[in-house]
Amino acid sequence: MPDGPLAPVILGDEPGSFPYRVLAERHPAIIRRVRDAFPYGPGQRGALDALLESCTDGVIEPLSEDAPDRDRWRAWGLDGYVGWSWFDVPWLWSESYFYRRLLDAVGYFWPGAWQGIDPFRPFKHAELDAPETGEELAALDGLRDRPEEERARALLHGSLWGNRADLGFRLSAAGAEAAEPAPALVADDSDTLWSLLPPTGTGTLCLVADNAGPELVPDLLMVAHLLAAGRIARAVLHVKPYPYYVSDATTADVIDAVHRVRAAPGAAAEYGHALWAAMADGRLTVRAHPFSCAPLPYAEMPDDLRSDFAAADLTLVKGDLNYRRLVGDRMWPPTTPFQEATAYFPGPVAALRTLKSDVVTGLSEPTEAALVAAEGQRWRTAGTHALIQVRPSDDVHRQ
């Protein structure tokens, strides 16, 4: 973390602020959508109604004594927040715990017919099956004859801007689907990003995935291309161990996405079959570490996850939530160097992110001034700006 006093941790206690609106408006909207998406029984519907009341007017309650992950959440700070308003604890923590309690309400963790049923599955499938996804896959045909570097650059930007498909962002954001065309990146370290992949093609890429569906598809396409082009020898895809933040990718979502790509016509099917083969022979592996759903920044990651990232030639962190966890969910001055905010990370790291929350680092003073002059502070949360930021390590080409 940067030297000197740390920026304040972001809370949700300021009426009118973006975090406040998420807690007061988006979370209730998500509960109502989930309640209507399945024919839940009286017990589940009552539990969802109770959560709706709790997250707007109530306080944080403990997990039940027999919850399978109770000890883990206690280690993540639960005991210290029981009895507090959802609005008065760190925003990252309260958001994460909301999704954990939502899964409790629908019976996700408990023996019975609803155990393991993703409450966000209908929304994810609707996005994955949308005509727009098919149009993006069809566009791969136009890349077939382009130079390899151009294809790689196009797929990188597809992965970057795919994050605008975040379902949680859209469930309560009227008109988000009709956002303005993407402006120029507010930070672009893409040349440095490519330089971190060993020229021998023997490197390992860790990709910390964010959303399922239309974002995960371009992530997978980029990985397939890098493997096929000999840019990397192996990829490790980190996903969530259970449904989280509405659209965050799980292993089931990875399989759904690969099936969708394989079933498409033209060049897309070739990518899909390549992904299938890479998973089958171990060149592409999927991991779902419990810390991926922790309400904490990555600076507090456990040693085994730290070792995973340390072994990679590059870790690519996708999306807004993962960015908040990467640099710390604090109100940093936007000119805080990204390299300083990520200095703790155990290897080279890059962030691909569209901006949908207040946290941002690594901007130049002229860039920040231009954004504020044009939009006030809306540029931080509207999802219409993006960044590619990289922090290389001293030993760039580790074998």
Side-chain angles (χ1 to χ4, degrees), residues 77-330:
L78 175 58
D79 290 350
Y81 293 135
V82 168
W84 286 52
S85 165
W86 292 84
F87 296 85
D88 292 337
V89 304
W91 181 43
L92 175 63
W93 201 97
S94 60
E95 272 198 294
S96 297
Y97 195 57
F98 165 78
Y99 287 101
R100 173 58 184 82
R101 292 312 304 263
L102 180 61
L103 294 181
D104 247 351
V106 299
Y108 182 87
F109 292 107
W110 305 108
W114 293 94
Q115 186 176 35
I117 300 299
D118 184 346
F120 311 124
R121 184 176 177 85
F123 316 135
K124 293 175 177 178
H125 275 219
E127 292 287 331
L128 191 60
D129 295 337
E132 292 80 4
T133 303
E135 292 168 6
E136 292 181 8
L137 290 172
L140 293 171
D141 292 342
L143 289 178
R144 268 181 164 150
D145 298 326
R146 309 304 298 176
E148 190 278 326
E149 289 187 3
E150 186 174 329
R151 280 181 284 151
R153 183 168 60 252
L155 292 169
L156 177 69
H157 281 260
S159 178
L160 170 66
W161 288 107
N163 184 241
R164 293 174 70 176
D166 184 337
L167 294 173
F169 180 70
R170 290 167 57 172
L171 281 175
S172 61
E177 294 87 344
E180 295 177 5
L185 300 181
V186 298
D188 185 4
D189 296 337
S190 52
D191 288 343
T192 304
L193 184 155
W194 295 126
S195 75
L196 294 175
L197 300 179
T200 56
T202 57
T204 295
L205 172 72
C206 273
L207 196 157
V208 181
D210 190 43
N211 297 322
E215 180 187 351
L216 184 60
V217 166
D219 291 347
L220 292 171
L221 295 175
M222 179 177 64
V223 168
H225 172 79
L226 294 176
L227 287 168
R231 291 279 196 107
I232 57 174
R234 183 169 175 261
V236 182
L237 183 66
H238 286 261
V239 298
K240 303 299 190 294
Y242 52 76
Y244 192 60
Y245 277 71
V246 182
S247 52
D248 281 24
T250 65
T251 302
D253 298 319
V254 174
I255 302 306
D256 286 342
V258 173
H259 274 299
R260 177 69 178 88
V261 178
R262 288 179 80 204
E270 298 171 15
Y271 280 88
H273 290 296
L275 286 164
W276 192 277
M279 294 181 74
D281 64 25
R283 287 175 295 132
L284 171 58
T285 58
V286 180
R287 293 186 185 167
H289 195 284
F291 192 78
S292 294
C293 288
L296 304 171
Y298 273 106
E300 300 182 40
M301 75 180 88
D303 289 342
D304 61 335
L305 186 57
R306 180 176 293 272
S307 296
D308 276 357
F309 293 145
D313 292 272
L314 173 64
T315 296
L316 186 58
V317 176
K318 279 295 310 293
D320 196 78
L321 171 63
N322 287 327
Y323 187 89
R324 291 165 56 194
R325 297 186 69 197
L326 179 64
V327 303
D329 202 34
R330 296 174 178 271

Side-chain angles (χ1 to χ4, degrees), residues 18 24 35 91 155 162 169 195 209 228 349 358 392 399:
F18 184 72
R35 194 178 188 275
W91 181 43
L155 292 169
F169 180 70
S195 75
V349 63
D358 290 308
Q399 301 298 316

Side-chain angles (χ1 to χ4, degrees), residues 346-358:
V349 63
L352 265 64
R353 176 225 185 179
T354 48
L355 278 62
K356 293 180 292 185
S357 66
D358 290 308

